[in-house]
PDB file of all heavy atoms in Angstrom:
ATOM      1  N   ALA Q 138       4.057   1.457   8.410  1.00  0.00           N
ATOM      2  CA  ALA Q 138       4.346   2.886   8.574  1.00  0.00           C
ATOM      3  C   ALA Q 138       3.116   3.695   8.966  1.00  0.00           C
ATOM      4  O   ALA Q 138       3.209   4.649   9.759  1.00  0.00           O
ATOM      5  CB  ALA Q 138       4.936   3.452   7.278  1.00  0.00           C
ATOM      6  N   LEU Q 139       1.949   3.348   8.434  1.00  0.00           N
ATOM      7  CA  LEU Q 139       0.771   4.196   8.605  1.00  0.00           C
ATOM      8  C   LEU Q 139       0.242   4.269  10.044  1.00  0.00           C
ATOM      9  O   LEU Q 139      -0.279   5.324  10.440  1.00  0.00           O
ATOM     10  CB  LEU Q 139      -0.338   3.727   7.661  1.00  0.00           C
ATOM     11  CG  LEU Q 139      -0.113   4.104   6.191  1.00  0.00           C
ATOM     12  CD1 LEU Q 139      -1.147   3.453   5.303  1.00  0.00           C
ATOM     13  CD2 LEU Q 139      -0.134   5.618   6.016  1.00  0.00           C
ATOM     14  N   PRO Q 140       0.326   3.207  10.867  1.00  0.00           N
ATOM     15  CA  PRO Q 140      -0.154   3.364  12.251  1.00  0.00           C
ATOM     16  C   PRO Q 140       0.577   4.443  13.038  1.00  0.00           C
ATOM     17  O   PRO Q 140       0.049   4.923  14.046  1.00  0.00           O
ATOM     18  CB  PRO Q 140       0.109   1.975  12.861  1.00  0.00           C
ATOM     19  CG  PRO Q 140       0.050   1.043  11.708  1.00  0.00           C
ATOM     20  CD  PRO Q 140       0.647   1.794  10.563  1.00  0.00           C
ATOM     21  N   ALA Q 141       1.762   4.842  12.581  1.00  0.00           N
ATOM     22  CA  ALA Q 141       2.472   5.915  13.278  1.00  0.00           C
ATOM     23  C   ALA Q 141       1.726   7.244  13.192  1.00  0.00           C
ATOM     24  O   ALA Q 141       1.901   8.113  14.045  1.00  0.00           O
ATOM     25  CB  ALA Q 141       3.879   6.081  12.693  1.00  0.00           C
ATOM     26  N   VAL Q 142       0.874   7.416  12.171  1.00  0.00           N
ATOM     27  CA  VAL Q 142       0.192   8.704  11.989  1.00  0.00           C
ATOM     28  C   VAL Q 142      -0.778   8.985  13.140  1.00  0.00           C
ATOM     29  O   VAL Q 142      -0.667  10.036  13.802  1.00  0.00           O
ATOM     30  CB  VAL Q 142      -0.505   8.753  10.619  1.00  0.00           C
ATOM     31  CG1 VAL Q 142      -1.289  10.058  10.467  1.00  0.00           C
ATOM     32  CG2 VAL Q 142       0.522   8.614   9.502  1.00  0.00           C
ATOM     33  N   PRO Q 143      -1.758   8.118  13.434  1.00  0.00           N
ATOM     34  CA  PRO Q 143      -2.606   8.410  14.599  1.00  0.00           C
ATOM     35  C   PRO Q 143      -1.846   8.356  15.917  1.00  0.00           C
ATOM     36  O   PRO Q 143      -2.164   9.104  16.849  1.00  0.00           O
ATOM     37  CB  PRO Q 143      -3.687   7.315  14.540  1.00  0.00           C
ATOM     38  CG  PRO Q 143      -3.118   6.237  13.690  1.00  0.00           C
ATOM     39  CD  PRO Q 143      -2.225   6.920  12.716  1.00  0.00           C
ATOM     40  N   LEU Q 144      -0.809   7.506  16.002  1.00  0.00           N
ATOM     41  CA  LEU Q 144      -0.021   7.450  17.237  1.00  0.00           C
ATOM     42  C   LEU Q 144       0.705   8.761  17.491  1.00  0.00           C
ATOM     43  O   LEU Q 144       0.872   9.183  18.647  1.00  0.00           O
ATOM     44  CB  LEU Q 144       0.987   6.297  17.169  1.00  0.00           C
ATOM     45  CG  LEU Q 144       0.418   4.891  17.356  1.00  0.00           C
ATOM     46  CD1 LEU Q 144       1.501   3.850  17.139  1.00  0.00           C
ATOM     47  CD2 LEU Q 144      -0.192   4.745  18.754  1.00  0.00           C
ATOM     48  N   LEU Q 145       1.132   9.424  16.434  1.00  0.00           N
ATOM     49  CA  LEU Q 145       1.781  10.729  16.598  1.00  0.00           C
ATOM     50  C   LEU Q 145       0.825  11.752  17.200  1.00  0.00           C
ATOM     51  O   LEU Q 145       1.256  12.667  17.907  1.00  0.00           O
ATOM     52  CB  LEU Q 145       2.306  11.230  15.243  1.00  0.00           C
ATOM     53  CG  LEU Q 145       3.597  10.584  14.736  1.00  0.00           C
ATOM     54  CD1 LEU Q 145       3.849  10.963  13.289  1.00  0.00           C
ATOM     55  CD2 LEU Q 145       4.770  11.025  15.600  1.00  0.00           C
ATOM     56  N   GLN Q 146      -0.466  11.613  16.893  1.00  0.00           N
ATOM     57  CA  GLN Q 146      -1.448  12.534  17.457  1.00  0.00           C
ATOM     58  C   GLN Q 146      -1.772  12.184  18.908  1.00  0.00           C
ATOM     59  O   GLN Q 146      -1.970  13.065  19.733  1.00  0.00           O
ATOM     60  CB  GLN Q 146      -2.726  12.509  16.612  1.00  0.00           C
ATOM     61  CG  GLN Q 146      -2.536  13.057  15.200  1.00  0.00           C
ATOM     62  CD  GLN Q 146      -3.820  13.008  14.400  1.00  0.00           C
ATOM     63  OE1 GLN Q 146      -4.460  11.967  14.273  1.00  0.00           O
ATOM     64  NE2 GLN Q 146      -4.223  14.146  13.856  1.00  0.00           N
ATOM     65  N   TRP Q 147      -1.798  10.891  19.232  1.00  0.00           N
ATOM     66  CA  TRP Q 147      -2.199  10.464  20.572  1.00  0.00           C
ATOM     67  C   TRP Q 147      -1.038  10.436  21.557  1.00  0.00           C
ATOM     68  O   TRP Q 147      -1.237  10.598  22.759  1.00  0.00           O
ATOM     69  CB  TRP Q 147      -2.838   9.079  20.497  1.00  0.00           C
ATOM     70  CG  TRP Q 147      -4.060   9.023  19.648  1.00  0.00           C
ATOM     71  CD1 TRP Q 147      -4.912  10.056  19.361  1.00  0.00           C
ATOM     72  CD2 TRP Q 147      -4.586   7.884  18.961  1.00  0.00           C
ATOM     73  NE1 TRP Q 147      -5.918   9.636  18.535  1.00  0.00           N
ATOM     74  CE2 TRP Q 147      -5.754   8.295  18.272  1.00  0.00           C
ATOM     75  CE3 TRP Q 147      -4.190   6.553  18.860  1.00  0.00           C
ATOM     76  CZ2 TRP Q 147      -6.514   7.429  17.503  1.00  0.00           C
ATOM     77  CZ3 TRP Q 147      -4.954   5.689  18.088  1.00  0.00           C
ATOM     78  CH2 TRP Q 147      -6.101   6.121  17.416  1.00  0.00           C
ATOM     79  N   GLN Q 148       0.177  10.213  21.055  1.00  0.00           N
ATOM     80  CA  GLN Q 148       1.346  10.095  21.920  1.00  0.00           C
ATOM     81  C   GLN Q 148       2.460  11.019  21.421  1.00  0.00           C
ATOM     82  O   GLN Q 148       3.446  10.576  20.840  1.00  0.00           O
ATOM     83  CB  GLN Q 148       1.847   8.641  21.938  1.00  0.00           C
ATOM     84  CG  GLN Q 148       0.887   7.648  22.548  1.00  0.00           C
ATOM     85  CD  GLN Q 148       0.750   7.850  24.059  1.00  0.00           C
ATOM     86  OE1 GLN Q 148       1.604   8.459  24.693  1.00  0.00           O
ATOM     87  NE2 GLN Q 148      -0.326   7.342  24.627  1.00  0.00           N
ATOM     88  N   PRO Q 149       2.317  12.336  21.617  1.00  0.00           N
ATOM     89  CA  PRO Q 149       3.340  13.263  21.117  1.00  0.00           C
ATOM     90  C   PRO Q 149       4.714  13.037  21.741  1.00  0.00           C
ATOM     91  O   PRO Q 149       5.726  13.428  21.160  1.00  0.00           O
ATOM     92  CB  PRO Q 149       2.782  14.640  21.494  1.00  0.00           C
ATOM     93  CG  PRO Q 149       1.751  14.380  22.549  1.00  0.00           C
ATOM     94  CD  PRO Q 149       1.202  13.029  22.267  1.00  0.00           C
ATOM     95  N   ALA Q 150       4.773  12.375  22.904  1.00  0.00           N
ATOM     96  CA  ALA Q 150       6.076  12.102  23.513  1.00  0.00           C
ATOM     97  C   ALA Q 150       6.903  11.136  22.668  1.00  0.00           C
ATOM     98  O   ALA Q 150       8.131  11.079  22.799  1.00  0.00           O
ATOM     99  CB  ALA Q 150       5.881  11.528  24.913  1.00  0.00           C
ATOM    100  N   TRP Q 151       6.248  10.350  21.822  1.00  0.00           N
ATOM    101  CA  TRP Q 151       6.948   9.400  20.959  1.00  0.00           C
ATOM    102  C   TRP Q 151       7.253   9.992  19.573  1.00  0.00           C
ATOM    103  O   TRP Q 151       7.586   9.258  18.650  1.00  0.00           O
ATOM    104  CB  TRP Q 151       6.090   8.154  20.757  1.00  0.00           C
ATOM    105  CG  TRP Q 151       5.751   7.422  22.014  1.00  0.00           C
ATOM    106  CD1 TRP Q 151       6.257   7.638  23.273  1.00  0.00           C
ATOM    107  CD2 TRP Q 151       4.812   6.350  22.141  1.00  0.00           C
ATOM    108  NE1 TRP Q 151       5.699   6.776  24.170  1.00  0.00           N
ATOM    109  CE2 TRP Q 151       4.796   5.961  23.506  1.00  0.00           C
ATOM    110  CE3 TRP Q 151       3.986   5.666  21.260  1.00  0.00           C
ATOM    111  CZ2 TRP Q 151       3.983   4.945  23.992  1.00  0.00           C
ATOM    112  CZ3 TRP Q 151       3.180   4.649  21.734  1.00  0.00           C
ATOM    113  CH2 TRP Q 151       3.187   4.293  23.078  1.00  0.00           C
ATOM    114  N   PHE Q 152       7.148  11.301  19.437  1.00  0.00           N
ATOM    115  CA  PHE Q 152       7.216  11.925  18.116  1.00  0.00           C
ATOM    116  C   PHE Q 152       8.488  11.554  17.366  1.00  0.00           C
ATOM    117  O   PHE Q 152       8.441  11.140  16.203  1.00  0.00           O
ATOM    118  CB  PHE Q 152       7.116  13.451  18.247  1.00  0.00           C
ATOM    119  CG  PHE Q 152       7.196  14.167  16.924  1.00  0.00           C
ATOM    120  CD1 PHE Q 152       6.076  14.300  16.133  1.00  0.00           C
ATOM    121  CD2 PHE Q 152       8.404  14.683  16.462  1.00  0.00           C
ATOM    122  CE1 PHE Q 152       6.139  14.945  14.908  1.00  0.00           C
ATOM    123  CE2 PHE Q 152       8.487  15.317  15.240  1.00  0.00           C
ATOM    124  CZ  PHE Q 152       7.346  15.446  14.457  1.00  0.00           C
ATOM    125  N   GLY Q 153       9.648  11.701  18.012  1.00  0.00           N
ATOM    126  CA  GLY Q 153      10.917  11.465  17.314  1.00  0.00           C
ATOM    127  C   GLY Q 153      11.041  10.058  16.764  1.00  0.00           C
ATOM    128  O   GLY Q 153      11.218   9.867  15.541  1.00  0.00           O
ATOM    129  N   PRO Q 154      10.944   9.015  17.584  1.00  0.00           N
ATOM    130  CA  PRO Q 154      11.063   7.649  17.054  1.00  0.00           C
ATOM    131  C   PRO Q 154       9.985   7.292  16.037  1.00  0.00           C
ATOM    132  O   PRO Q 154      10.282   6.656  15.014  1.00  0.00           O
ATOM    133  CB  PRO Q 154      10.948   6.779  18.312  1.00  0.00           C
ATOM    134  CG  PRO Q 154      11.362   7.663  19.429  1.00  0.00           C
ATOM    135  CD  PRO Q 154      10.896   9.025  19.053  1.00  0.00           C
ATOM    136  N   LEU Q 155       8.730   7.702  16.293  1.00  0.00           N
ATOM    137  CA  LEU Q 155       7.660   7.368  15.355  1.00  0.00           C
ATOM    138  C   LEU Q 155       7.864   8.052  14.003  1.00  0.00           C
ATOM    139  O   LEU Q 155       7.614   7.457  12.948  1.00  0.00           O
ATOM    140  CB  LEU Q 155       6.306   7.774  15.935  1.00  0.00           C
ATOM    141  CG  LEU Q 155       5.740   6.881  17.043  1.00  0.00           C
ATOM    142  CD1 LEU Q 155       4.464   7.480  17.612  1.00  0.00           C
ATOM    143  CD2 LEU Q 155       5.474   5.469  16.514  1.00  0.00           C
TER     144      LEU Q 155
END
Side-chain angles (χ1 to χ4, degrees):
L139 285 172
V142 176
L144 285 175
L145 283 169
Q146 294 180 306
W147 299 334
Q148 295 291 340
W151 300 351
F152 179 83
L155 285 174

